[in-house]
PDB file of all heavy atoms in Angstrom:
ATOM      1  N   THR C1177     102.423  98.322 122.534  1.00 97.00           N
ATOM      2  CA  THR C1177     101.982  97.411 123.627  1.00 97.00           C
ATOM      3  C   THR C1177     102.310  95.914 123.341  1.00 97.00           C
ATOM      4  O   THR C1177     102.081  95.105 124.231  1.00 97.00           O
ATOM      5  CB  THR C1177     100.631  97.683 124.008  1.00 97.00           C
ATOM      6  OG1 THR C1177      99.813  97.351 122.944  1.00 97.00           O
ATOM      7  CG2 THR C1177     100.300  99.126 124.422  1.00 97.00           C
ATOM      8  N   ASP C1195     118.627 115.043 105.115  1.00 97.00           N
ATOM      9  CA  ASP C1195     118.615 115.634 103.740  1.00 97.00           C
ATOM     10  C   ASP C1195     119.762 114.977 102.924  1.00 97.00           C
ATOM     11  O   ASP C1195     119.723 114.976 101.650  1.00 97.00           O
ATOM     12  CB  ASP C1195     118.790 117.144 103.727  1.00 97.00           C
ATOM     13  CG  ASP C1195     117.536 117.778 104.292  1.00 97.00           C
ATOM     14  OD1 ASP C1195     116.395 117.299 104.043  1.00 97.00           O
ATOM     15  OD2 ASP C1195     117.703 118.835 104.986  1.00 97.00           O
ATOM     16  N   PRO C1197     123.530 112.057 103.389  1.00 97.00           N
ATOM     17  CA  PRO C1197     124.350 111.334 104.334  1.00 97.00           C
ATOM     18  C   PRO C1197     125.211 112.161 105.110  1.00 97.00           C
ATOM     19  O   PRO C1197     125.917 113.049 104.646  1.00 97.00           O
ATOM     20  CB  PRO C1197     125.178 110.398 103.350  1.00 97.00           C
ATOM     21  CG  PRO C1197     124.299 110.350 102.124  1.00 97.00           C
ATOM     22  CD  PRO C1197     123.676 111.640 101.924  1.00 97.00           C
ATOM     23  N   ARG C1200     122.873 116.501 109.757  1.00 97.00           N
ATOM     24  CA  ARG C1200     122.190 116.364 111.107  1.00 97.00           C
ATOM     25  C   ARG C1200     120.664 116.099 110.759  1.00 97.00           C
ATOM     26  O   ARG C1200     120.005 116.893 110.049  1.00 97.00           O
ATOM     27  CB  ARG C1200     122.345 117.569 111.894  1.00 97.00           C
ATOM     28  CG  ARG C1200     121.774 117.468 113.289  1.00 97.00           C
ATOM     29  CD  ARG C1200     122.145 118.668 114.112  1.00 97.00           C
ATOM     30  NE  ARG C1200     121.584 118.533 115.494  1.00 97.00           N
ATOM     31  CZ  ARG C1200     121.882 119.347 116.428  1.00 97.00           C
ATOM     32  NH1 ARG C1200     122.733 120.386 116.196  1.00 97.00           N
ATOM     33  NH2 ARG C1200     121.336 119.216 117.663  1.00 97.00           N
ATOM     34  N   LEU C1229     103.466 106.870 130.774  1.00 97.00           N
ATOM     35  CA  LEU C1229     102.658 107.211 129.628  1.00 97.00           C
ATOM     36  C   LEU C1229     101.436 108.003 130.050  1.00 97.00           C
ATOM     37  O   LEU C1229     100.989 108.970 129.424  1.00 97.00           O
ATOM     38  CB  LEU C1229     102.297 105.966 128.913  1.00 97.00           C
ATOM     39  CG  LEU C1229     103.441 105.277 128.255  1.00 97.00           C
ATOM     40  CD1 LEU C1229     103.034 103.854 127.641  1.00 97.00           C
ATOM     41  CD2 LEU C1229     104.052 106.128 127.125  1.00 97.00           C
ATOM     42  N   ASP C1299     117.321  93.696 102.202  1.00 98.00           N
ATOM     43  CA  ASP C1299     118.423  92.828 102.606  1.00 98.00           C
ATOM     44  C   ASP C1299     118.114  91.382 102.339  1.00 98.00           C
ATOM     45  O   ASP C1299     119.017  90.598 101.847  1.00 98.00           O
ATOM     46  CB  ASP C1299     118.722  93.114 104.075  1.00 98.00           C
ATOM     47  CG  ASP C1299     119.779  92.081 104.596  1.00 98.00           C
ATOM     48  OD1 ASP C1299     120.915  92.235 104.305  1.00 98.00           O
ATOM     49  OD2 ASP C1299     119.311  91.083 105.295  1.00 98.00           O
ATOM     50  N   LYS C1307     122.977  83.306 106.185  1.00 95.00           N
ATOM     51  CA  LYS C1307     122.350  82.727 107.277  1.00 95.00           C
ATOM     52  C   LYS C1307     122.284  83.686 108.513  1.00 95.00           C
ATOM     53  O   LYS C1307     123.042  84.672 108.487  1.00 95.00           O
ATOM     54  CB  LYS C1307     123.157  81.481 107.735  1.00 95.00           C
ATOM     55  CG  LYS C1307     123.048  80.352 106.665  1.00 95.00           C
ATOM     56  CD  LYS C1307     123.811  79.101 107.177  1.00 95.00           C
ATOM     57  CE  LYS C1307     123.780  78.010 106.126  1.00 95.00           C
ATOM     58  NZ  LYS C1307     122.377  77.624 105.633  1.00 95.00           N
ATOM     59  N   ALA C1335     118.703 104.350 112.837  1.00 98.00           N
ATOM     60  CA  ALA C1335     119.505 103.143 112.524  1.00 98.00           C
ATOM     61  C   ALA C1335     118.953 102.527 111.250  1.00 98.00           C
ATOM     62  O   ALA C1335     119.797 102.100 110.348  1.00 98.00           O
ATOM     63  CB  ALA C1335     119.558 102.217 113.644  1.00 98.00           C
ATOM     64  N   LEU C1362     108.367  96.611  93.535  1.00 98.00           N
ATOM     65  CA  LEU C1362     109.224  95.461  93.538  1.00 98.00           C
ATOM     66  C   LEU C1362     109.311  94.833  94.940  1.00 98.00           C
ATOM     67  O   LEU C1362     109.306  93.628  95.124  1.00 98.00           O
ATOM     68  CB  LEU C1362     110.632  95.899  93.162  1.00 98.00           C
ATOM     69  CG  LEU C1362     110.818  96.048  91.592  1.00 98.00           C
ATOM     70  CD1 LEU C1362     112.220  96.615  91.242  1.00 98.00           C
ATOM     71  CD2 LEU C1362     110.593  94.754  90.831  1.00 98.00           C
ATOM     72  N   ALA C1371     107.295  85.765 102.045  1.00 97.00           N
ATOM     73  CA  ALA C1371     106.245  85.273 103.015  1.00 97.00           C
ATOM     74  C   ALA C1371     105.800  83.815 102.574  1.00 97.00           C
ATOM     75  O   ALA C1371     105.575  82.953 103.435  1.00 97.00           O
ATOM     76  CB  ALA C1371     104.992  86.172 102.906  1.00 97.00           C
ATOM     77  N   TRP C1391     102.263  93.909 101.667  1.00 98.00           N
ATOM     78  CA  TRP C1391     103.299  94.845 101.951  1.00 98.00           C
ATOM     79  C   TRP C1391     103.043  96.108 101.150  1.00 98.00           C
ATOM     80  O   TRP C1391     102.542  96.004 100.019  1.00 98.00           O
ATOM     81  CB  TRP C1391     104.740  94.368 101.477  1.00 98.00           C
ATOM     82  CG  TRP C1391     105.848  95.248 101.892  1.00 98.00           C
ATOM     83  CD1 TRP C1391     106.624  95.152 102.928  1.00 98.00           C
ATOM     84  CD2 TRP C1391     106.371  96.392 101.157  1.00 98.00           C
ATOM     85  NE1 TRP C1391     107.542  96.122 102.862  1.00 98.00           N
ATOM     86  CE2 TRP C1391     107.407  96.934 101.799  1.00 98.00           C
ATOM     87  CE3 TRP C1391     105.921  96.979  99.916  1.00 98.00           C
ATOM     88  CZ2 TRP C1391     108.115  98.091 101.342  1.00 98.00           C
ATOM     89  CZ3 TRP C1391     106.580  98.113  99.445  1.00 98.00           C
ATOM     90  CH2 TRP C1391     107.643  98.589 100.186  1.00 98.00           C
ATOM     91  N   LEU C1397      91.058  93.726 108.121  1.00 70.00           N
ATOM     92  CA  LEU C1397      90.297  92.537 108.234  1.00 70.00           C
ATOM     93  C   LEU C1397      88.812  92.696 108.404  1.00 70.00           C
ATOM     94  O   LEU C1397      88.008  91.943 107.843  1.00 70.00           O
ATOM     95  CB  LEU C1397      90.823  91.652 109.442  1.00 70.00           C
ATOM     96  CG  LEU C1397      92.232  91.190 109.358  1.00 70.00           C
ATOM     97  CD1 LEU C1397      92.604  90.381 110.599  1.00 70.00           C
ATOM     98  CD2 LEU C1397      92.447  90.396 108.013  1.00 70.00           C
TER      99      LEU C1397
END
Side-chain angles (χ1 to χ4, degrees):
T1177 59
D1195 293 327
R1200 184 172 183 175
L1229 293 171
D1299 171 76
K1307 296 184 182 301
L1362 284 174
W1391 184 96
L1397 297 179

